[in-house]
Amino acid sequence: RKSVSRVYVLDVHPLCYRGSKPDSSEFLWWMRAFLRRIVLDDPVIAVFDGEFGNDYRRKILPSYKAGRRKFKPLDPSFKWTRGLEASFSRFQCFLRQCNIPVVKVDNAEADDVIATLARQVNDRSLKAVIASPDKDFKQLVSENVELLIPFADLRRWSFYTVKDYVEQHKCEPVIELGLRCLLGDAADGVPGVPGFGRKTALKLMRKHGSLENLLSAAAIRTVGKPYIQDALKEHSVLLEKNLEVLSLRRDINVELPVEWCLSRDKSNDLAAL
């Protein structure tokens, strides 16, 4: 097995849905494209949400992901749709057949495990590629961390890099976390600052670089129009809570074995698919 320059870290759960509905065949469609067109024999690590993974953030913000649905059966005649655990057990078996290690850490969300593994990949002087549609991972984009996003409408995977972020936002990805804190995330049950639109939030983040810098500046001087100043002071506690909830942790208790960073034996892929 040869050394490689990049390691793919796969966020499994979002690939199991077509739109908002659970769909086991969707997982296989994306995996076929992922294995046969993208990664080939590069190493892949697959990550699942751990039990009680949301508890840490729900203690801070009870509305966090409160509306998320469980993976439930669709067609009872289809053997892969017997509920969350049965379906995921089959997915894990498939991934291992493809010589892809599977990671699931109890009391930890997949996002934090992925962020931790990406850091450890970088510590080995390798590039980490996070394969996920989750926009939370944009806060990690750097010269050493790329995203691989499945675009459902286009039915294809697409790489997303620092260059793409700069072209999209006209600034570096360091602002992404603060931007999300200001705007909130309705899908995750995270409230934003009332009255703040994307244009206002982007302008503030481009100028100040981080939410911490913005709040520090607003506490001692005027940083914008009166409504901006008032909103930042009034909602500073909310913003600090958002920062704690939306920041991806990189200190999860998971170890990256050296063999996970070597080329993958892809000889079983076709049979597994």
Side-chain angles (χ1 to χ4, degrees):
R1 297 172 68 189
K2 64 181 188 295
S3 60
V4 296
S5 60
R6 61 173 58 185
V7 176
Y8 289 84
V9 190
L10 180 68
D11 184 14
V12 177
H13 192 269
L15 301 179
C16 303
Y17 287 79
R18 184 185 290 271
S20 62
K21 294 182 179 179
D23 186 335
S24 298
S25 62
E26 191 76 353
F27 168 78
L28 277 182
W29 194 96
W30 286 112
M31 286 307 301
R32 181 179 288 109
F34 180 69
L35 294 174
R36 301 182 72 178
R37 299 179 197 167
I38 305 291
V39 304
L40 304 178
D41 63 351
D42 278 341
V44 181
I45 306 166
V47 182
F48 287 76
D49 279 316
E51 297 297 323
F52 314 111
N54 291 343
D55 287 4
Y56 157 75
R57 288 181 170 88
R58 280 188 177 156
K59 285 177 183 175
I60 302 166
L61 188 68
S63 63
Y64 179 71
K65 292 189 178 178
R68 289 291 175 94
R69 297 176 182 175
K70 291 285 187 182
F71 195 112
K72 294 179 181 177
L74 291 179
D75 177 359
S77 68
F78 186 47
K79 63 183 179 182
W80 276 25
T81 53
R82 295 179 306 210
L84 181 71
E85 289 306 320
S87 296
F88 280 4
S89 177
R90 293 297 298 269
F91 296 161
Q92 289 174 16
C93 182
F94 163 80
L95 290 161
R96 290 189 175 108
Q97 276 186 285
C98 296
N99 296 302
I100 295 172
V102 173
V103 180
K104 181 180 177 184
V105 181
D106 285 344
N107 303 305
E109 284 194 76
D111 292 10
D112 297 316
V113 176
I114 289 167
T116 301
L117 287 170
R119 176 183 61 77
Q120 294 180 14
V121 167
N122 290 163
D123 288 346
R124 301 206 175 184
S125 301
L126 300 172
K127 182 172 287 187
V129 182
I130 298 172
S132 173
D134 194 335
K135 55 187 174 293
D136 290 354
F137 291 117
K138 284 189 177 181
Q139 66 184 264
L140 300 181
V141 171
S142 69
E143 293 301 332
N144 295 313
V145 178
E146 295 180 355
L147 305 185
L148 180 65
I149 302 172
F151 285 100
D153 294 345
L154 301 175
R155 301 306 282 172
R156 68 178 176 89
W157 291 94
S158 183
F159 284 92
Y160 186 91
T161 66
V162 170
K163 182 181 177 183
D164 296 311
Y165 192 95
V166 172
E167 286 180 359
Q168 184 179 2
H169 299 292
K170 304 297 183 285
C171 56
E172 296 292 322
V174 68
I175 72 154
E176 177 65 22
L177 179 56
L179 187 63
R180 293 203 60 220
C181 290
L182 291 170
L183 295 175
D185 188 331
D188 283 352
V190 179
V193 176
F196 270 37
R198 189 166 190 83
K199 186 176 178 181
T200 298
L202 261 174
K203 184 177 179 181
L204 288 169
M205 292 312 303
R206 284 175 185 148
K207 183 175 180 180
H208 296 277
S210 72
L211 183 64
E212 295 93 329
N213 289 348
L214 174 60
L215 292 177
S216 295
I220 58 174
R221 60 183 172 83
T222 301
V223 296
K225 295 178 180 178
Y227 85 91
I228 292 176
Q229 188 72 14
D230 292 344
L232 289 173
K233 287 189 174 182
E234 183 180 348
H235 298 286
S236 61
V237 173
L238 165 73
L239 287 168
E240 287 167 0
K241 194 175 290 188
N242 282 4
L243 185 62
E244 196 172 357
V245 167
L246 293 173
S247 294
L248 293 179
R249 296 178 59 189
R250 304 182 205 190
D251 60 352
I252 302 301
N253 186 23
V254 58
E255 289 298 322
L256 179 69
V258 65
E259 59 266 26
W260 290 7
C261 298
L262 299 173
S263 62
R264 184 180 63 89
D265 179 358
K266 63 178 181 177
S267 60
N268 293 339
D269 289 6
L270 193 59
L273 286 164

